[in-house]
Amino acid sequence: MSAATKTNAGLYDCRDAFSKTLEALAEADERVVAVVNDSVGSSKLGGFKKRWPERLVNVGIAEQNMVGVGAGLANGGRIPFVSCASCFLTGRALEQVKADVAYSNTNVKLCGQSPGIGYGELGPTHHSIEDLAWLRPLANLVTIVPSDPWETEQAIRFAAAYEGPVFIRVSRYPVPALDHKIDRIEPGKTEVMREGTDVAILANGVMLHKALRAAEVLAESGVSARVVNMVWMNPLDVEAIVDAAGTGAVVTVEEASVRGGLGGAVAETLALRRPVPMEMVGFPGFVPTGTVDFLFDHFGLTAAGIAAAARKAISRKG
Amino acid sequence: MSLSTASAPVSGADRIDLVRAKALNIRRSAFTMVHEAQLGHPGGDFSAADILATLYFGVMRYDPDEPRHADRDRFIMSKGHCTGAFYSVLAQAGFFPEAQLKTYMQPLSKLNGHPNRNYLPGIETNTGPLGHGLPVAVGIAIAGKLTAKDYRTFVLTGDGELQEGSNWEAAMAAGHRKLNRLTVIVDRNRLQQGDRTEATNALDPLDDKWRAFGFHVEMIDGHDHAALLDVLGADPSGRDKPLCVIANTIKGKGVSFMEDNVSWHHGVPTDEQFAQAIKELI
Ligand SMILES: Cc1ncc(C[n+]2csc(CCOP(=O)(O)OP(=O)(O)O)c2C)c(N)n1
Ligand SMILES: [Mg+2]
């Protein structure tokens, strides 16, 4: 667990892995720069700023400009990591992301901080449950949803080495470090975290941990659940999805809207290639006020909620 | 029915006392909410408290029992992160019971971290992402012209918030259309989330910018109730431009250890700090 700092109870804030990895990359390669919107603290880039003040471009509270400036820095031969709360990066600056980054196919690395409902009580304006849906149709934009500090580090390293636009979700919700059987992530390759035959649970990000616990819950009542880590939203591991349908029932779980994100991607794939009963776990729309954990419980983004969705999908098998 | 002007029944000196008392209440109540929730943006609550108290208890025309009255003056809290102060002034003005302030940011509370017009009366538009208030206010002011209403539209922005380009698109439209019943108030506390505005992306000379966009500009001490009442209460009818009031303020105003200290942007108090602050807020 090279780049991470444990918070409490063995849990990690993936922003630490993000900023430590970025500093390591910046140390080794002077082309690496950071672009922020008054988000030095919330991106944990205080250390970066101290070491390379001239390589941290803070444009102020101006996300559209921030993304455009990122594209310009790439044009000038830099490797910009644009780091901003995911809601503003992908919502406010969506057209810049589309035209200046994805369509122009520029070497910009977009880091969506505290995505999903990471901002809890601050409410839907600060939540980013729509990001996956509105980025998914953008051609060229490699999209990664890491689940733990190791995967976050891997995603940042991949982005730096890869020539082209990348979006990475960087979560603040405390997560444990997972036991990965691979030694690096590869574009479009999912990781099967647990084998199973009755149902396949496809999850990413923070929800992968809850999916794994759901599989344990299901195992207690004799249900064998496969858990697949959908860390790549684009490129999508289509074959892994088709393979998952071989269990006869599929559940998707994401810290996002159930419309258009991972659930949408999997549903499209299954409809075209191998239709099977499917359930989606995620948020139905704007959420009420509450802490992150309250909202997860409220909408069934819990081990119990996922297990219930799995049973429902299984019950619908023909 | 007709809407009463908040400034009508009280004489000048009493008015200033009333606004001062309300501003103090806003600070005490906002800080109590932030302390209990252990969340919030108290620095910006405090810099805006005197402006809010002046608007609601000395300038604006509204009826809390008919919060969407067509003739009401409109207020938009564009710096939507400062809900401690905003909810406090709305409760004091009678839009909802003050007891409800206790639910600030609790699960399923109507007092979300950022204001939601579908949850509470007195909120014109949902804010939180910076740079949204002024465009909506411009639309409200244009609607007022189209319908020949004499309501006024006020919008309070942060100063860091003005780094958002959307404000300047709206400002250009307001100047072009000579929206004289529109007033922008800038809470010029010179701090944003992580640093000073001038060290991040400088705004000065800010008055010249607004003038260049077609505004009449007044620069005042944003904690001087008499000056706020004077400038905000002045009849806009004779003016042929929108008004920008640059209110020079102090972030964290009123509590010694919070004043002009960036860490109180979203800092929350310990029990000792809370007790100390409440002692100072008298
Ligand atoms: C579009 C957008 N970008 C970023 C933020 C995060 N944010 C919340 S408050 C704040 C600083 C605001 O500073 P200022 O406008 O000066 O407000 P004040 O000092 O009055 O609190 C930032 C960057 C946001 N709410 N909206
Ligand atoms: Mg400010």
Side-chain angles (χ1 to χ4, degrees):
Chain A
M1 197 48 51
S2 49
T5 346
K6 262 189 195 178
T7 49
N8 47 16
L11 300 178
Y12 301 85
D13 177 339
C14 291
R15 293 177 301 167
D16 291 315
F18 157 77
S19 61
K20 287 193 177 164
T21 306
L22 194 61
E23 283 188 43
L25 289 167
E27 173 99 55
D29 186 341
E30 65 173 18
R31 294 173 303 162
V32 171
V33 297
V35 190
V36 297
N37 68 326
D38 194 12
S39 50
V40 176
S42 53
S43 295
K44 299 209 174 215
L45 287 174
F48 189 109
K49 183 182 171 186
K50 202 169 262 167
R51 291 177 72 183
W52 303 285
E54 73 291 351
R55 285 162 65 187
L56 182 123
V57 183
N58 186 350
V59 300
I61 310 168
E63 296 75 19
Q64 300 180 49
N65 188 39
M66 172 185 70
V67 174
V69 165
L73 283 160
N75 175 291
R78 302 296 90 185
I79 303 175
F81 280 76
V82 178
S83 177
C84 167
S86 195
C87 54
F88 308 129
L89 172 62
T90 67
R92 188 57 158 273
L94 183 56
E95 188 169 282
Q96 279 74 16
V97 172
K98 174 185 169 185
D100 310 347
V101 178
Y103 182 47
S104 295
N105 204 11
T106 46
N107 196 27
V108 177
K109 319 304 170 182
L110 304 168
C111 302
Q113 301 286 342
S114 305
I117 57 155
Y119 279 113
E121 299 91 326
L122 298 189
T125 56
H126 283 55
H127 295 162
S128 191
I129 62 172
E130 303 88 359
D131 51 1
L132 301 180
W134 55 42
L135 296 185
R136 199 160 65 81
L138 297 183
N140 302 332
L141 185 64
V142 170
T143 300
I144 313 176
V145 185
S147 62
D148 73 354
W150 179 79
E151 239 171 38
T152 304
E153 175 183 353
Q154 284 284 303
I156 301 299
R157 289 191 179 280
F158 164 83
Y162 173 79
E163 177 78 26
V166 181
F167 172 78
I168 301 167
R169 262 187 167 199
V170 182
S171 292
R172 69 161 57 190
Y173 185 78
V175 288
L178 287 172
D179 187 15
H180 294 277
K181 290 173 277 295
I182 53 177
D183 56 16
R184 67 193 175 92
I185 60 171
E186 275 180 63
K189 287 241 172 74
T190 53
E191 186 185 359
V192 175
M193 305 301 291
R194 183 185 172 116
E195 289 294 353
T197 50
D198 297 326
V199 61
I201 305 173
L202 276 45
N204 59 21
V206 163
M207 286 301 125
L208 183 61
H209 305 272
K210 297 188 189 269
L212 285 164
R213 281 209 296 283
E216 285 167 20
V217 170
L218 288 164
E220 284 165 19
S221 54
V223 176
S224 164
R226 180 185 306 178
V227 178
V228 185
N229 178 4
M230 301 298 293
V231 55
W232 299 92
M233 288 292 296
N234 184 28
L236 194 65
D237 192 343
V238 171
E239 294 314 317
I241 296 171
V242 173
D243 212 52
T247 63
V250 169
V251 176
T252 56
V253 195
E254 59 196 309
E255 189 191 359
S257 167
V258 288
R259 292 192 289 254
L262 175 64
V266 171
E268 287 164 16
T269 306
L270 294 182
L272 291 171
R273 293 280 305 272
R274 193 169 182 181
V276 292
M278 175 182 171
E279 294 293 327
M280 297 183 196
V281 179
F283 297 104
F286 298 129
V287 304
T289 309
T291 63
V292 174
D293 283 322
F294 171 84
L295 293 171
F296 282 156
D297 286 350
H298 193 71
F299 290 100
L301 281 76
T302 55
I306 297 165
R311 288 199 182 91
K312 193 169 168 197
I314 292 169
S315 75
R316 290 170 51 213
K317 282 190 192 181
Chain B
M1 62 142 280
S2 68
L3 291 170
S4 63
T5 303
S7 51
V10 187
S11 73
D14 292 348
R15 175 67 55 193
I16 293 172
D17 286 345
L18 174 69
V19 169
R20 179 177 301 117
K22 295 292 184 185
L24 188 61
N25 276 345
I26 292 172
R27 290 192 173 89
R28 293 175 67 95
S29 137
F31 210 50
T32 305
M33 290 157 66
V34 170
H35 177 236
E36 295 216 338
Q38 285 293 295
L39 281 169
H41 295 83
D45 285 337
F46 287 4
S47 61
D50 300 296
I51 297 163
L52 292 169
T54 303
L55 285 171
Y56 280 86
F57 296 99
V59 175
M60 289 203 321
R61 198 172 65 173
Y62 58 88
D63 177 0
D65 296 325
E66 213 180 320
R68 294 202 181 170
H69 193 294
D71 295 326
R72 70 190 183 280
D73 288 341
R74 270 74 164 174
F75 171 74
I76 294 179
M77 186 66 167
S78 194
K79 39 174 275 180
H81 53 291
C82 294
T83 38
F86 187 35
Y87 292 149
S88 294
V89 79
L90 287 177
Q92 286 189 66
F95 285 96
F96 53 86
E98 288 190 57
Q100 215 175 327
L101 296 174
K102 284 197 175 51
T103 70
Y104 188 45
M105 291 203 237
Q106 296 305 303
L108 304 181
S109 170
K110 300 298 178 198
L111 280 69
N112 186 67
H114 294 89
N116 184 323
R117 68 191 288 267
N118 306 300
Y119 287 170
L120 292 170
I123 296 168
E124 301 290 348
T125 186
N126 296 5
T127 51
L130 297 164
H132 282 246
L134 187 52
V136 177
V138 166
I140 294 172
I142 294 172
K145 289 216 166 199
L146 289 173
T147 53
K149 297 269 184 209
D150 72 346
Y151 63 72
R152 297 183 64 188
T153 306
F154 298 91
V155 52
L156 178 62
T157 75
D159 49 359
E161 178 176 6
L162 296 180
Q163 292 159 349
E164 289 285 0
S166 53
N167 292 297
W168 301 101
E169 298 177 22
M172 198 182 296
H176 174 71
R177 290 169 174 276
K178 304 194 186 339
L179 300 177
N180 64 322
R181 304 193 77 76
L182 171 69
T183 297
V184 182
I185 306 157
V186 181
D187 185 346
R188 184 71 171 117
N189 58 31
R190 309 190 81 85
L191 287 174
Q192 48 193 92
Q193 181 166 275
D195 206 338
R196 309 195 76 76
T197 56
E198 302 314 281
T200 306
N201 202 27
L203 297 162
D204 283 336
L206 188 56
D207 52 336
D208 288 347
K209 287 190 175 66
W210 287 101
R211 264 185 224 107
F213 279 77
F215 280 64
H216 177 72
V217 178
E218 298 275 2
M219 297 240 251
I220 60 172
D221 173 348
H223 304 301
D224 179 339
H225 305 116
L228 283 164
L229 281 164
D230 244 23
V231 166
L232 295 172
D235 181 1
S237 307
R239 203 174 46 227
D240 65 348
K241 293 175 174 185
L243 172 66
C244 173
V245 177
I246 298 177
N248 288 310
T249 55
I250 297 169
K251 207 157 177 171
K253 169 73 177 180
V255 174
S256 54
F257 58 88
M258 292 171 66
E259 290 193 355
D260 200 33
N261 179 344
V262 75
S263 70
W264 286 97
H265 172 72
H266 50 208
V268 294
T270 62
D271 291 348
E272 295 75 54
Q273 287 170 323
F274 177 68
Q276 174 65 29
I278 291 297
K279 250 190 252 164
E280 293 186 24
L281 291 170
I282 45 162

